[in-house]
Amino acid sequence: MTPDVDMETLRLLVDLAELNSLSAAAQARGISQPAASARLRSFEARWRVTVADRSPRGTALTTDGLAIVSWARTVLHEVDLMRAALTALSDERHAELEVAASLTIAEFILPRWLGELRSRSVVVRPRLHVVNSEKVAELVRSRTVDVGFIESAAVPRDLAHRLVGSDQLAVVVDPRHPWARRSTPVPHEALRNEAWVLRETGSGTRSTFERALRFEPHLAMEADSTTALIGAARAGVGPAVVSRRAVASELETGRLVEVTTDLDLWRPLTAIWLMERRLPDSVDALLRIARAGTTRRPST
């Protein structure tokens, strides 16, 4: 079997031709002069050709050695071009960041995280899939995305996960709703009898509310859009349950009123990914940013 050409020896020969000194060529290659001499002897033995003449005055290339250097320059040029192309291709792939996030995270939190990621000179081109928490997990399992962010208290057991923060839901009503004038928490029985404006089944908002309520609520309207829920609440369709972040401006202007209840409406914000999948550096950096900059639930 014909042996492979040793690229490092070819680079040593090119350096020897350009520097006219084996010592200088060895230094350029980051090896000792004895190691460089041994490398040349091994090359000569392998290919049964003499590439250099040794004398007290130094080491000089033979006619065969000069011919090999001429060929080596062409080969090494192509190798270097290929290396640069592979590096560029790798960088291009690593710049792509597939993320899935449930609605509140996607609309109110994730853009800030991605902005911070870019400000740290991490080159990414994120592609964001906005779906509910249940579908985020499906996209992670199918390897469609590198990482997902969910708002549900129930974390899929088959996926790796990391808590990155917390979010609080709010029960909001139109100012004309009877609950808007209450100064005490709405009784649980009244909550049970009300018809609600809620997100669809599978969303983190819906599961958090049902877990806190401890029974299946009556529905006045169901939607997969937070904007639609807010609009329905403002129109008097019924009380809505949404992230407090999503209704901050409506609460400040009085277009909606937050209702006091005894329900625990805090929910975790969790990153999920495949257990066997190594996280890209960009995802690892994104998770560190998320952990550092997200609201934490107050300790009780």
Side-chain angles (χ1 to χ4, degrees):
M1 182 176 180
T2 304
D4 288 335
V5 176
D6 180 359
M7 295 295 169
E8 283 304 307
T9 301
L10 293 186
R11 294 187 188 279
L12 178 64
L13 287 169
V14 171
D15 288 339
L16 177 58
E18 293 177 352
L19 300 173
N20 294 313
S21 166
L22 184 59
S23 176
Q27 186 175 3
R29 293 288 92 213
I31 59 177
S32 66
Q33 183 170 337
S37 295
R39 180 164 288 177
L40 292 183
R41 287 195 298 271
S42 175
F43 185 88
E44 290 175 326
R46 173 178 292 182
W47 295 103
R48 299 179 183 179
V49 63
T50 301
V51 298
D53 286 329
R54 289 85 171 171
S55 72
R57 291 176 296 178
T59 303
L61 289 170
T62 63
T63 301
D64 287 345
L66 290 171
I68 292 170
V69 165
S70 177
W71 302 329
R73 285 193 172 103
T74 301
V75 170
L76 293 174
H77 175 69
E78 294 301 322
V79 168
D80 290 341
L81 279 179
M82 184 175 182
R83 180 180 288 111
L86 288 172
T87 299
L89 186 62
S90 176
D91 289 345
E92 180 84 3
R93 293 291 185 267
H94 286 123
E96 297 173 358
L97 177 60
E98 296 280 351
V99 182
S102 48
L103 198 59
T104 299
I105 296 176
E107 290 189 345
F108 299 99
I109 306 174
L110 190 58
R112 186 176 71 253
W113 294 347
L114 293 174
E116 176 67 18
L117 191 65
R118 291 185 66 86
S119 73
R120 296 186 183 187
S121 299
V122 178
V123 179
V124 291
R125 287 194 306 278
R127 183 166 184 261
L128 178 59
H129 304 256
V130 183
V131 292
N132 65 35
S133 293
E134 195 172 271
K135 291 181 180 177
V136 169
E138 293 176 7
L139 291 176
V140 171
R141 291 190 187 99
S142 66
R143 297 179 178 269
T144 303
V145 299
D146 300 301
V147 66
F149 294 94
I150 61 175
E151 304 153 7
S152 173
V155 177
R157 294 184 178 181
D158 60 323
L159 298 176
H161 66 277
R162 183 181 303 171
L163 181 68
V164 296
S166 299
D167 180 52
Q168 189 175 23
L169 300 179
V171 175
V172 295
V173 296
D174 176 74
R176 296 164 295 179
H177 192 284
W179 289 357
R181 297 183 293 275
R182 290 189 62 93
S183 58
T184 58
V186 177
H188 203 74
E189 187 64 25
L191 298 177
R192 178 186 293 270
N193 294 330
E194 186 62 69
W196 295 87
V197 175
L198 297 175
R199 285 283 308 280
E200 78 285 1
T201 299
S203 74
T205 298
R206 178 75 169 266
S207 64
T208 299
F209 180 61
E210 291 181 345
R211 183 186 296 259
L213 202 58
R214 297 193 299 277
F215 67 86
E216 187 173 343
H218 303 298
L219 288 178
M221 174 180 162
E222 183 179 81
D224 59 5
S225 162
T226 299
T227 302
L229 297 187
I230 294 172
R234 287 180 57 186
V237 176
V241 180
V242 293
S243 170
R244 183 171 282 161
R245 303 169 194 262
V247 289
S249 62
E250 280 77 10
L251 296 178
E252 289 175 4
T253 59
R255 288 176 291 182
L256 286 174
V257 176
E258 182 174 4
V259 176
T260 303
T261 72
D262 291 327
L263 301 178
D264 180 5
L265 295 178
W266 282 94
R267 59 181 175 173
L269 304 180
T270 308
I272 57 175
W273 64 93
L274 288 175
M275 289 184 180
E276 69 275 15
R277 190 169 189 174
R278 180 187 177 278
L279 289 179
D281 292 342
S282 57
V283 173
D284 199 45
L286 181 62
L287 293 183
R288 289 196 299 272
I289 290 169
R291 285 278 299 171
T294 310
T295 302
R296 296 287 186 273
R297 175 175 181 164
S299 57
T300 56

